[in-house]
Amino acid sequence: MNILVSHENELLLNTVRAFMDAEMYPHEQMVDKTGEVPEDLGRQIAARAQELGLYACNLPEEVGGGGLGLSAMHLIEREYGKTSHALHSWAARPTELLLACEGDQREQYLLPAVRGEKRELFGLTEPEAGSDVMGMKTNARRDGDDWILNGTKHFISGPCMPDFAIVFAATGVDEGPRGSRKRVTAFLVDIGTPGFECREGNRCVSYRGYRNYQLTFDDVRLGPGQVLGQEGHGLELAGQWLGMGRIWVGACCCGKAERILGLATDWAASRRQFGQPIGRFQATGFRLADGAMGLRAADLMVADAVARAERGAMEDADAAMVKVYCSEMLNRIADDTVQIYGGMGLMEELPIERLWRDSRLERIWDGTSEIQRHIITRSILRPLGA
């Protein structure tokens, strides 16, 4: 591992690693082959996470969470990145967005989520509005005190069928210095609400067993108590999730890269050709060297972004840089590892091809590499008025 940690966090890492050794790694191949995490296995992982104090460890102690800071969460996310989202998502954190719950919402959504009694989905992406959030077509209009919700969301991922979804919808238009802009509001929508259908979507070759859902809303009536936060402030809420979410993607990529690079190094040291380990050939050894340098730089970039976030100084471009650099670093290491293994790198009997497939998704979700570069470019040019 390329970052220094305190003694307290080293103990936390040991707990997480032992947890993954017992509850996750043994099931990776089965989950990838079947494309499913049996529900009893998922519930077992979640229960064990609760016993260890790892479930909802990102949320404050006053709501029943573990109260861990960002530095500790960074280490946990990095370790979780070494395995499949299909498995570690059962032990993962409820979203911090639920801290915006007020009044009865706390008893209905926040506290049950902290206790692991309810699961949520984050419903932002649409078929025609992925990176272009302002292209959102899902909308909600007022009807007296209620709201009528219509639209579709897709690529909404989670480990199992949720109990409710946090859904973002356009609720009007605001005029600003840059012209018209959709006003977006977040809603809490329960599974089983009339007009709301949640069904499994297409199956992905990355992270098999980690499900994605399609959400359809047909004149779904929601009361005023279903608004999360303030009307018209949904993008601010989404931004809170997306910013740290991209940092956690970077941390996960570093963890997975460390695992893959370790496999590549072991193979390069033990596989012999022409009378010597293949790692002694520059074509192989330089791949290992480039991977080690890339991983070191990525770890430092994530640690810097976490430190900025702890000071309240992290900007959108900081998160975008982490996300694009770490995900592309991981993909280079994964591809080089397949090349180092040669034909065996593509055989299902080894984990290399699965880790390679899983790595590919990291450059797409939570904002593609292209949209991250757009965010970075905008942060460079805007101060100059361009």
Side-chain angles (χ1 to χ4, degrees), residues 11-27 41-55 57 76 79-80 83 87-92:
L11 295 176
L12 174 64
L13 272 176
N14 290 338
T15 297
V16 175
R17 287 166 177 163
F19 170 48
M20 294 174 66
D21 285 343
E23 305 291 346
M24 298 186 198
Y25 291 135
H27 308 293
L41 173 59
R43 301 295 177 190
Q44 173 184 309
I45 293 172
R48 185 60 178 146
Q50 289 176 303
E51 292 172 9
L52 294 171
L54 296 174
Y55 198 86
C57 56
I76 293 175
E79 286 304 307
Y80 281 167
T83 191
L87 289 162
H88 79 67
S89 60
W90 282 94

Side-chain angles (χ1 to χ4, degrees), residues 3 14 22 30 82 92 141 154 188 202 227 232 253 264 293 360:
I3 51 179
N14 290 338
M30 176 274 292
K82 295 178 181 179
R141 57 178 174 82
H154 80 161
L188 296 160
N202 298 324
V227 174
C253 287
M293 288 188 291
R360 187 60 182 85

Side-chain angles (χ1 to χ4, degrees), residues 99-116:
L99 294 175
C101 287
E102 297 179 347
D104 292 342
Q105 292 176 343
R106 291 170 63 87
E107 292 293 337
Q108 189 172 355
Y109 299 105
L110 171 60
L111 299 182
V114 172
R115 294 191 295 264

Side-chain angles (χ1 to χ4, degrees), residues 261 264-265 268 277-295 332-333 336-337 339-340:
L261 190 58
T265 302
I278 62 173
R280 290 186 180 176
F281 295 105
Q282 287 186 353
T284 299
F286 282 12
R287 282 189 166 97
L288 298 177
D290 288 343
M293 288 188 291
L295 177 55
R332 287 192 297 272
I333 289 177
D336 280 348
T337 298
Q339 199 68 22
I340 289 171

Side-chain angles (χ1 to χ4, degrees), residues 259-271 279 288 337 340-341:
R259 181 180 179 187
I260 297 172
L261 190 58
L263 292 168
T265 302
D266 289 344
W267 184 264
S270 60
R271 171 72 168 163
L288 298 177
T337 298
I340 289 171
Y341 271 76

